[in-house]
Amino acid sequence: MASRPGRIPGSPRAVRTANNPPIEQPHPHIDFDTVARAAERIRSGGVVAFPTETVYGLGADALNPEAVARVFRLKGRPSTNPLIVHVSGPSMARGVVSQWTPRADALAREFWPGPLTLVLPRGDAVPEIVTAGSPGVAVRAPNHPLAIALLMSAGRPLVGPSANLSGRVSPTTASHVREAFDEDDVMVLDGGACPVGIESTVLSIMEGPPRILRPGVIGPDAIARVLGEPVLENAKGDGPALSPGMLAVHYAPHTPATIADPDDVQDLLDDADEDADQCVVLSHRLAIEVGEPHELIRMPAGAAEYAGALYAALRAADDRAADRIIVDRPPTTSEDPAEAWVWRAIADRLRRACARG
Ligand code: AMP
Ligand code: MG
């Protein structure tokens, strides 16, 4: 679709409703020449990393199996781990599913563009490599002006797994993406820092009751209110991976990482002193102090802000090349159910980041 400078033709406006998490809208300057070049690259089977409100995605034409295979190769992603298809909205979504159901319609009206991925029956146009052979396809409309500009300019649905090497910490800035991929392989659209900072909620609405396969900032209560029916939570943590590709170790820094209850942080630092180990501590508590040679990375005390800062903090901790990262366990509950759910999504990512620690 042709685009005029300064305006995204027909782009959906981000609407904040009672059920939508408060997302600070990024306002990057959109250079439409660059977007047009990126779109051309997509149409010719190339790979373009693009910002979304959650994390940066590694984009390719979802309807071109060779382009999708390139994404799997670049990431080193197992072929059993399916990719989310990004669309500009419900009309593009209808082209990738075999049934656009009333539940899908209601959820898209409420939460799109936004961090909710819907798993629906796969349409014939979508190559099997995208869904790792599964009969369901995961689809979402990202809420970021550059992502929307790219989708509309390319006129194609885009696969967009997080733009990191498989298993590593997801990127929330363009320079995180640059660190992992060669300029010749991946063109990067720079839209600044991703405001949500953790990956979307994945919800299956294939058959039976709706089921959350991966937690994100949109929680079951908000979804249940829209659907008028209960929502199952399969992503409760230590159980088996229920969404394909949800591996126990994921989002992992190179430095061994441990999650510790607040009372235990000092004991771990004392142990480290005995072994002459250096630690980096991520903590949301104002009162905490860590003595030399350890370092402290201060985390926000609010759930949404903590999520937004998490991956950049894990990367910064990794860059210190310390012996160990200690994450001071953030709250897991809140009086506000929506905030409690964000803490649980954060706990899910921290558990995976620390699974080897
Ligand atoms: P990423 O894009 O790296 O955040 O990973 C996408 C995740 O979405 C996968 O690891 C799965 O957990 C989930 N997902 C993607 N496609 C499907 C699908 N067809 N069915 C169920 N879950 C999916
Ligand atoms: Mg990922």
Side-chain angles (χ1 to χ4, degrees), residues 66-229:
E66 276 140 41
V68 175
R70 193 163 292 134
V71 168
F72 274 98
R73 242 186 351 260
L74 282 166
K75 275 185 65 85
R77 182 168 174 119
S79 60
T80 48
N81 190 353
L83 305 182
I84 293 173
V85 177
H86 293 71
V87 294
S88 52
S91 63
M92 196 183 267
R94 284 171 196 272
V96 301
V97 302
S98 64
Q99 279 169 283
W100 182 250
T101 62
R103 290 201 287 205
D105 210 50
L107 292 167
R109 274 174 203 278
E110 183 65 24
F111 295 111
W112 282 8
L116 179 66
T117 296
L118 302 175
V119 179
L120 285 157
R122 178 175 64 89
D124 290 339
V126 178
E128 283 197 9
I129 183 174
V130 171
T131 66
S134 153
V137 62
V139 58
R140 90 166 183 108
N143 188 0
H144 192 292
L146 254 181
I148 294 167
L150 178 64
L151 281 160
M152 302 208 63
S153 184
R156 308 271 164 91
L158 302 176
V159 293
S162 51
N164 51 275
L165 298 180
S166 185
R168 314 264 35 133
V169 179
S170 298
T172 54
T173 67
S175 60
H176 294 163
V177 182
R178 266 283 71 94
E179 283 165 25
F181 300 104
D182 217 70
E183 226 157 306
D184 294 338
D185 293 326
V186 178
M187 174 178 176
V188 183
L189 291 177
D190 188 346
C194 304
V196 173
I198 59 172
E199 298 80 356
S200 61
T201 304
V202 178
L203 179 78
S204 172
I205 45 172
M206 289 276 280
E207 56 196 23
R211 264 188 323 145
I212 291 184
L213 305 178
R214 175 176 75 181
V217 297
I218 295 178
D221 300 349
I223 295 166
R225 267 200 300 278
V226 172
L227 294 180
E229 61 183 314

Side-chain angles (χ1 to χ4, degrees), residues 227-316:
L227 294 180
E229 61 183 314
V231 173
L232 303 184
E233 301 163 36
N234 268 346
K236 279 219 167 112
D238 301 318
L242 287 149
S243 195
M246 288 265 302
L247 310 173
V249 181
H250 204 156
Y251 318 102
H254 295 276
T255 312
T258 310
I259 187 156
D261 288 322
D263 288 346
D264 298 337
V265 172
Q266 191 54 52
D267 290 347
L268 285 176
L269 289 176
D270 292 344
D271 292 348
D273 286 337
E274 273 173 31
D275 299 339
D277 276 353
Q278 198 216 336
C279 300
V280 181
V281 178
L282 267 60
S283 180
H284 59 287
R285 285 184 295 138
L286 272 180
I288 195 167
E289 280 173 39
V290 305
E292 294 269 318
H294 311 298
E295 275 193 67
L296 176 64
I297 295 181
R298 289 201 177 275
M299 298 299 289
E305 293 77 13
Y306 192 109
L310 176 60
Y311 289 149
L314 284 173
R315 283 167 180 267

